[in-house]
Amino acid sequence: SPQINFETFSTSNEMLKDVIQDAKTYAALQSPIVVYGSKGTGRDSIAHTIYQNSSYHKNPMIVINSKYMNEKKWVNIFESENSLFTDSGLTIYIKNLHLMDEATQKLFEAYIRNTSVHKRNRLIFSCTTGCSKSFDNSTLLYFIRNELNALPLVMPALNQRTEDIPSLASLYLSELS
């Protein structure tokens, strides 16, 4: 991915400015982070920016999209001899947590508890809340928030920052051309 820094996020929206300031602070810490926001709010961009501005930036960032995972694939990752979860010093970005089924959530939570992978690596999670009561009330989300003490970042929805739409459209058009 391209080198991203916090100056890339130009905005006149006060809510997003606060999120960016928190992300700058979080990048310097070792704690897990959970990024909340609806689709299209920039959860992936802020996760990559935190990684690239952290002390982990010289080590790989592994991205796992829960959308494409099932329980069997997770078990495969956990039980593999050369699993990325056995390494140290990585940034592991697990996106779309809200798309994990309940059995997989329990499996994932148990794995983190039993292996302390969060103590050897930087974990960044992203999810959308409010779309599923079962996820919003899940033990996995509770575990991430309260036992891992993941630092929260709430990305404002695009309709809360309409003043950014012209510059975002310009960025995307430039990128496409």
Side-chain angles (χ1 to χ4, degrees):
S1 64
Q3 288 295 314
I4 304 171
N5 59 45
F6 287 107
E7 286 67 44
T8 305
F9 284 94
S10 61
T11 183
S12 55
N13 182 275
E14 290 304 316
M15 289 189 304
L16 188 56
K17 283 181 183 179
D18 290 343
V19 170
I20 293 168
Q21 188 56 48
D22 288 345
K24 283 181 184 180
T25 303
Y26 295 175
L29 304 173
Q30 307 301 319
S31 301
I33 297 170
V34 60
V35 183
Y36 303 99
S38 55
K39 186 177 181 176
T41 56
R43 292 178 310 198
D44 292 348
S45 295
I46 202 79
H48 282 278
T49 304
I50 290 168
Y51 159 69
Q52 290 181 340
N53 291 276
S54 75
S55 60
Y56 288 91
H57 75 279
K58 292 186 179 177
N59 298 338
M61 178 180 189
I62 309 299
V63 179
I64 301 173
N65 191 341
S66 298
K67 179 179 182 178
Y68 302 110
M69 299 293 288
N70 57 31
E71 189 174 349
K72 183 179 178 184
K73 289 179 182 178
W74 281 111
V75 168
N76 223 7
I77 289 175
F78 297 152
E79 294 180 355
S80 172
E81 282 183 26
N82 55 356
S83 171
L84 61 99
F85 285 100
T86 60
D87 287 342
S88 296
L90 302 176
T91 297
I92 302 172
Y93 174 39
I94 300 157
K95 59 192 269 185
N96 295 317
L97 275 181
H98 60 284
L99 298 177
M100 279 187 186
D101 61 48
E102 196 171 321
T104 304
Q105 289 178 30
K106 289 179 181 180
L107 176 73
F108 185 64
E109 179 184 339
Y111 185 81
I112 293 173
R113 280 184 192 279
N114 295 332
T115 63
S116 298
V117 66
H118 62 287
K119 293 182 180 177
R120 298 185 311 275
N121 298 288
R122 174 65 162 300
L123 298 181
I124 302 176
F125 306 98
S126 76
C127 62
T128 299
T129 57
C131 61
S132 162
K133 280 191 176 186
S134 64
F135 176 73
D136 291 347
N137 298 322
S138 69
T139 60
L140 176 62
L141 193 54
Y142 179 87
F143 170 73
I144 290 169
R145 288 177 177 160
N146 299 304
E147 294 183 43
L148 289 183
N149 296 314
L151 303 168
L153 283 175
V154 180
M155 299 298 290
L158 198 53
N159 64 1
Q160 294 175 307
R161 48 185 203 145
T162 54
E163 63 272 21
D164 289 342
I165 292 174
S167 60
L168 289 171
S170 176
L171 279 171
Y172 291 125
L173 288 173
S174 295
E175 192 172 305
L176 287 172
S177 64

